[in-house]
Amino acid sequence: MHNRRNSLSQQVIETVGERIRSGRYGAGEKLPTEHELIEEFGVSRTVIREAIANLRASGLVTPRQGVGVFVSEAPFSQPFVLESGHGDVLAEAVAVLELRIALEVEGAGLAAARRDAATLDAMRRALDAMDVAIAAGGEAIVPDLAFHRAIASGTGNYHFVNLFNYLGEYLVPRSRLNTSALAQESRNDYLRHINDEHVRVYDAIEAGDSEAARGAMRLHLVGSKERLGQGAG
């Protein structure tokens, strides 16, 4: 019974949430009354109350004591959440790479303009660690992340670092996919190709050339996307 109630509640959450997203229920507008929602959905008062509690926790609605429940004035101001589990892992990896292109291409440009010894040293150590990991037969995920994190830090903008850290494992497709097989390369050749692209990014940042750094990062990430077999998009 509990599971059925949860399922009914989820249906109400999804329907009301979609009405808010579509603007059918506008910001600041009062929702139908509890009784009206019970009549519309054909469910119990408990189901409606659970759904409203969930919508409230998500920041979409705000109850006003003795008045009713209203769509929040800024219903989409809750923190960004990267959702997963919507099916195709490959398609999800490509989608995250598209997000990374938007973020990291400009990040590389900023890191080049603001380069300092600490950033260059962190990048160099990550490049060397990746070479060692490749030679040892590893997937080199940790030094790969370290290289890109050093660039995020090198922007001097903590928002880049926070978002980078939040994305975490989503950043490296091979943490969830056999990317070398998709690219039809041996694992070693695949990883060496990636680190060669890293070196070109490093060289541009070391030279303080923002445009070259953006170009090298774009080639690297678009290349990663193409290696997943999806084309440049």
Side-chain angles (χ1 to χ4, degrees):
M1 182 64 184
H2 181 68
N3 287 340
R4 182 172 180 273
R5 193 175 73 216
N6 283 348
S7 176
L8 292 171
S9 178
Q10 190 59 38
Q11 290 174 25
V12 177
I13 291 164
E14 290 174 1
T15 300
V16 175
E18 178 54 34
R19 289 175 183 176
I20 294 171
R21 282 186 286 275
S22 69
R24 178 172 168 183
Y25 296 159
E29 183 179 327
K30 185 179 178 181
L31 291 187
T33 65
E34 187 176 272
H35 179 71
E36 288 170 335
L37 290 171
I38 290 169
E39 287 289 315
E40 178 184 352
F41 289 99
V43 296
S44 69
R45 176 174 282 104
T46 300
V47 167
I48 293 299
R49 288 182 174 176
E50 287 180 354
I52 295 300
N54 184 289
L55 291 164
R56 180 184 185 183
S58 299
L60 291 177
V61 303
T62 305
R64 296 183 194 167
Q65 190 68 34
V67 181
V69 179
F70 293 77
V71 178
S72 299
E73 291 293 344
F76 305 110
S77 62
Q78 65 266 34
F80 169 74
V81 175
L82 186 66
E83 297 180 355
S84 62
H86 294 301
D88 192 319
V89 175
L90 177 57
E92 185 179 309
V94 171
V96 172
L97 276 167
E98 289 174 349
L99 177 64
R100 289 185 63 190
I101 290 166
L103 175 72
E104 293 193 62
V105 168
E106 182 58 24
L110 289 172
R114 301 167 182 174
R115 74 193 188 287
D116 59 24
T119 297
L120 294 172
D121 181 60
M123 292 172 68
R124 185 74 254 171
R125 282 187 281 109
L127 289 172
D128 292 343
M130 190 158 175
D131 278 337
V132 170
I134 294 168
E139 287 295 337
I141 290 169
V142 171
D144 192 343
L145 281 170
F147 179 80
H148 287 273
R149 185 179 291 107
I151 295 171
S153 179
T155 66
N157 182 330
Y158 70 91
H159 293 299
F160 276 87
V161 180
N162 287 348
L163 184 53
F164 184 93
N165 287 336
Y166 168 75
L167 290 171
E169 67 173 23
Y170 289 93
L171 291 167
V172 180
R174 64 184 180 282
S175 65
R176 290 167 297 149
L177 289 164
N178 186 347
T179 47
S180 58
L182 288 168
Q184 299 181 335
E185 291 183 273
S186 74
R187 185 193 55 78
N188 265 31
D189 287 346
Y190 177 80
L191 294 177
R192 291 193 187 285
H193 191 175
I194 286 174
N195 218 27
D196 286 345
E197 292 172 357
H198 285 169
V199 169
R200 286 192 281 275
V201 174
Y202 173 88
D203 288 344
I205 291 176
E206 182 184 39
D209 188 334
S210 290
E211 284 307 307
R214 290 187 186 98
M217 182 62 82
R218 178 176 292 279
L219 281 173
H220 171 49
L221 295 177
V222 170
S224 294
K225 185 179 172 185
E226 288 176 334
R227 285 188 286 271
L228 294 181
Q230 299 297 307

